[in-house]
Amino acid sequence: MVTWVADGVLAVLSSVLEVAALVTFWFAEGLKQWAAGGKTVVGFRVRLWLVLTAGPAVLAGVSYGAFRAGLPATGVAQALVAAVLAGVLALGVGTECSRWAARAFRRYGAGRRARRDKVL
């Protein structure tokens, strides 16, 4: 009984601390961007991708360790938080890829129109 209570408390506490750390990170980065007048701050994307890639990897390791230590609730909580962070990473990568493709398509279309107008 004591083990389940400790497991539940550890699961909730660790999840709350991880979410608070992520919210604090995003708030600090938003504050830096606001101070820069809305411009992209140097290194912002690097720091963001580092958090969103290293975070799920570390949490997966913690989840595995919690399962090995006999703390299933903590392991499940860590795995869920890692899955959410990985989902945010996948959405961010998808957004960046679509922006890149749209820019490339616009550039290609502008070049094609210029060549067509030059021939005519």
Side-chain angles (χ1 to χ4, degrees):
M1 177 71 177
V2 175
T3 304
W4 281 97
V5 172
D7 186 23
V9 169
L10 185 60
V12 170
L13 184 63
S14 63
S15 298
V16 167
L17 288 175
E18 288 157 4
V19 169
L22 188 60
V23 167
T24 303
F25 169 76
W26 266 323
F27 178 75
E29 290 298 323
L31 199 57
K32 287 178 188 176
Q33 191 171 10
W34 174 77
K39 298 175 185 170
T40 303
V41 179
V42 175
F44 168 71
R45 287 192 175 147
V46 173
R47 288 189 298 271
L48 181 63
W49 293 118
L50 180 64
V51 166
L52 292 177
T53 53
V58 169
L59 291 177
V62 170
S63 176
Y64 177 73
F67 277 117
R68 297 278 297 176
L71 302 170
T74 303
V76 168
Q78 296 300 305
L80 288 176
V81 173
V84 168
L85 281 178
V88 170
L89 175 65
L91 287 174
V93 168
T95 301
E96 289 298 318
C97 287
S98 67
R99 287 180 185 164
W100 174 82
R103 279 193 307 267
F105 184 72
R106 280 194 304 267
R107 274 190 252 123
Y108 174 73
R112 189 177 61 193
R113 282 190 299 275
R115 287 189 299 274
R116 182 186 63 209
D117 293 341
K118 188 176 180 181
V119 171
L120 294 176

